[in-house]
Amino acid sequence: MKERLLALKTEALQELERVENAQQLNDLRVKYLGKKGPLTEILRGMGALSAEERPVIGQVANEVRGAIEEVIEAKQAEYAQAETANRLKAEMVDVTLPGRRTAHGAVHPLNKVIQEIEDIFIGMGYSVAEGPQVEKDYYNFEALNLPKDHPARDMQDSFYITDEILMRTQTSPVQIRTMEKRQGAVPIKIISPGQVYRRDDDDATHSHMFTQIEGLVIDRHIRMSDLKGTLLQFVQEMFGPQTRIRMRPSFFPFTEPSAEVDVSCMMCGGQGCRTCKKTGWLEILGSGMVHPRVLEMSGYDPNEYSGFAFGMGVERIAMLKYGVDDIRHFYTNDIRFLKQFVHI
Ligand code: DAH
């Protein structure tokens, strides 16, 4: 039995010599020391030995087991160390490499101007309302006091989809939708930004699609001086506290009286320059007192309620504010143009 044990030891140690990886090492451990291994079997058979033999064989068996275990443990430690070293190498991070920059998007200049205008009006208690760009003729024209065949429709050449549906030519239909929704309730204080569409030929100052912001206030006792004060507040926040406004009589079917609003030229402070064509003034929006017919058609009694409205082109405001000389820059997405607005 002793010989068997010693032979087992020699065999095991030889095999362990040839082991190449942790997997093989584990297989050998199971093979020699496992529950079904030869060593266990021999130890189990010790009961049959005589009382003198038992401790002698027991000692030899323990020595053999110890010797095998020792080699296995040493090799296990070796593999574990190698594995850690490999992992550290594989996961090595070179902290001296320069950082990799992520390309950064920015808000489009038109959206920036919209946000800025919204902020100013929200600061005056307005909320933002939106409406569809594909609009009913009723909301875009009729309810704004522009019945079919009204000559003023010619002011806004339109893209019709059917006889009754068109691409909206202005944001004013949101006025009507808001009044309908509020069902006679006051006050209404909204601004409404969005795209509008007209059959214009594109050039440096015209685009078949552009952006407007509409404003509407309805309550009891709203007067033209409220309109004037509101717009003055707006332009001074938008263009600086020194900005002045002037109102010129005009015509819109949905307001009476109507006024075109000019701001003092922010380029020359009103002295006269190329931007303002030497006049010192720049036209920026249309406005007026909501026409009694418009109030009436949308469920507001003009004897009890009054209101003002205004509408402006966002591109024009952005062009004036940032000195952009061609409206098409806003839509062609030239990165060199857009980049200039990242940090403003
Ligand atoms: N919708 C007009 C346009 O596109 C602008 C406008 C003028 C809007 C006067 C208004 C307003 O609300 O009162 O030319």
Side-chain angles (χ1 to χ4, degrees), residues 156 169-172 175 198 212 214-215 252 254-255 286-288 309-312:
Q156 302 181 2
T169 59
Q170 47 187 350
T171 42
S172 306
Q175 292 185 18
R198 293 193 193 171
Q212 281 192 335
E214 188 79 15
F252 299 101
F254 30 87
T255 44
S287 67
F310 55 88
M312 66 187 110

Side-chain angles (χ1 to χ4, degrees), residues 140 144 155-156 169-173 175 196 198 210 212-216 227 251-260 285-290 308-313:
N140 193 79
L144 286 160
M155 290 160 73
Q156 302 181 2
T169 59
Q170 47 187 350
T171 42
S172 306
Q175 292 185 18
V196 300
R198 293 193 193 171
F210 60 103
Q212 281 192 335
I213 292 194
E214 188 79 15
L216 175 70
L227 170 64
F251 171 79
F252 299 101
F254 30 87
T255 44
E256 181 58 36
S258 304
E260 213 103 53
L285 53 82
S287 67
M289 302 306 291
V290 180
F308 65 74
F310 55 88
M312 66 187 110

Side-chain angles (χ1 to χ4, degrees), residues 276-329:
C276 59
K277 300 199 182 86
K278 301 264 191 286
T279 63
W281 295 97
L282 295 161
E283 184 194 321
I284 59 156
L285 53 82
S287 67
M289 302 306 291
V290 180
H291 197 290
R293 289 264 311 129
V294 171
L295 289 171
E296 208 167 14
M297 272 188 277
S298 293
Y300 284 79
D301 180 355
N303 295 313
E304 193 175 351
Y305 301 108
S306 55
F308 65 74
F310 55 88
M312 66 187 110
V314 176
E315 284 82 351
R316 178 154 169 82
I317 305 257
M319 287 168 85
L320 292 173
K321 187 158 171 146
Y322 299 118
V324 176
D325 61 2
D326 193 318
I327 195 171
R328 290 167 292 199
H329 285 314

Side-chain angles (χ1 to χ4, degrees), residues 247-265:
M247 299 174 90
R248 286 177 291 106
S250 184
F251 171 79
F252 299 101
F254 30 87
T255 44
E256 181 58 36
S258 304
E260 213 103 53
V261 178
D262 300 340
V263 287
S264 52
C265 180

Side-chain angles (χ1 to χ4, degrees), residues 6 8 10 44 67 94 96-97 118 132 163 235 335:
L6 292 175
L8 190 64
T10 313
R44 228 183 256 140
D94 182 355
T96 65
L97 280 175
E118 282 179 357
D163 281 354
V235 299
I335 205 81

